[in-house]
Amino acid sequence: MAGSVGKIRFPGCLGMLDPAPDGLEPSCEATGKEVYHLRSLNRSANWWYDYRDQYIDTTTFADYRAEYYRDGKLIKVIDKDWRSMELADPRAQYWRYWYGRDLRSGGEGLAWVKEGQVSWNDRVNRNLWSLATLRKLSR
């Protein structure tokens, strides 16, 4: 079961490890943007969380933050820093980093893409995604 909690302005910067690797800094680009605040309820009584709140950009539909709750307490946060691919469709996004924090254990994690590692609309061999290639991948 899911339902919209409403539209709000994203409250602040995304999380980041301290110290941050490779010169990364917490992204504040979503600060103040209008987002959908959505709540998803869990169907399974014994799942690791009871409900999840998500903050989704109203234009690009990028999901900036997911907050997980158990017994009414915030237990986990996952932040995603999205960047535009500068294409005609504003939904064309790629992520620069994901940051996660477990408030129960204090554990943190970060996955990031270095500048220049993401490309699109590149010329590739027409046979790159042939049926033969796809069959090899499924082995």
Side-chain angles (χ1 to χ4, degrees), residues 11-117:
C13 298
L14 300 174
M16 173 58 71
L17 292 176
D18 185 20
D22 281 350
L24 286 174
E25 294 183 14
S27 175
C28 296
E29 292 196 18
T31 303
K33 284 188 177 182
E34 185 175 58
V35 294
Y36 294 114
H37 179 196
L38 303 176
R39 177 163 292 168
S40 301
L41 303 177
N42 204 340
R43 288 185 173 193
S44 177
N46 294 321
W47 198 239
W48 64 275
Y49 68 90
D50 296 328
Y51 64 92
R52 173 184 68 204
D53 284 357
Q54 288 184 277
Y55 301 86
I56 301 180
D57 190 288
T58 59
T59 304
T60 66
F61 302 104
D63 56 330
Y64 296 124
R65 176 171 288 157
E67 298 173 332
Y68 298 86
Y69 292 84
R70 181 74 182 194
D71 298 324
K73 294 180 183 176
L74 179 64
I75 60 168
K76 189 175 208 173
V77 177
I78 297 178
D79 285 345
K80 299 173 193 164
D81 179 31
W82 293 97
R83 298 299 165 121
S84 173
M85 295 171 74
E86 304 297 331
L87 300 176
D89 188 341
R91 297 171 298 177
Q93 303 273 311
Y94 70 96
W95 58 268
R96 188 177 68 136
Y97 74 82
W98 283 33
Y99 167 77
R101 181 171 35 110
D102 188 322
L103 285 83
R104 297 165 297 178
S105 68
E108 295 177 288
L110 181 71
W112 73 98
V113 177
K114 291 182 179 184
E115 197 70 35
Q117 284 185 310

Side-chain angles (χ1 to χ4, degrees), residues 110-137:
L110 181 71
W112 73 98
V113 177
K114 291 182 179 184
E115 197 70 35
Q117 284 185 310
V118 177
S119 64
W120 48 90
N121 293 335
D122 292 338
R123 291 186 183 266
V124 296
N125 184 324
R126 288 185 58 201
N127 296 324
L128 177 66
W129 296 111
S130 67
L131 286 175
T133 304
L134 294 173
R135 284 187 189 107
K136 287 179 185 177
L137 289 174

